[in-house]
Amino acid sequence: MKIGIKNFKLTGPAAGTLRATADVQLAYSNGRKLLTIRDAKVIEGKEGLFVSLPSIKRGERYLHIVVVEDLELEEKIKTLLLGQYVLEAGKKEGKKQ
């Protein structure tokens, strides 16, 4: 299975703790698309960066819309998104200097 990051966008300071959004595309090894998860988020939390897959707030709790049942796949998705964030944020910082 292939995992691709599409439509990756860094957010500005006005977005609060949100640092980036992206779509995650899963495809078979032959390239045929299987699933697209829209609006995954990279968030700056109290203990550092983390990835949040789509969810909605219900009262005081968040309800996950997408649940990845395979923990290895979930870890790969999160690692790719955080890696993309580090890469893109680094490029942006390099342009400022």
Side-chain angles (χ1 to χ4, degrees):
M1 178 175 300
K2 294 181 181 182
I3 305 170
I5 306 299
K6 308 288 182 185
N7 303 318
F8 189 90
K9 295 181 182 91
L10 292 172
T11 59
T17 59
L18 180 65
R19 297 293 174 250
T21 61
D23 298 337
V24 179
Q25 192 171 77
L26 305 179
Y28 293 105
S29 55
N30 66 6
R32 197 174 102 218
K33 294 176 188 171
L34 175 65
L35 173 72
T36 299
I37 302 169
R38 300 214 185 273
D39 204 29
K41 296 174 177 67
V42 176
I43 298 173
E44 181 79 43
K46 292 177 183 175
E47 297 181 24
L49 294 171
F50 68 93
V51 171
S52 176
L53 296 178
S55 62
I56 57 173
K57 191 169 184 180
R58 292 270 170 93
E60 296 298 314
R61 297 178 48 190
Y62 283 90
L63 174 66
H64 296 285
I65 296 171
V66 175
V67 177
V68 181
E69 299 293 345
D70 183 313
L71 296 179
E72 186 178 325
L73 176 60
E74 181 180 33
E75 193 59 37
K76 285 180 184 178
I77 290 169
K78 290 179 176 185
T79 299
L80 278 172
L81 279 169
L82 290 174
Q84 186 74 32
Y85 173 77
V86 169
L87 180 70
E88 296 295 329
K91 286 181 189 176
K92 188 175 180 179
E93 281 298 312
K95 288 181 182 179
K96 286 183 181 179
Q97 296 176 356

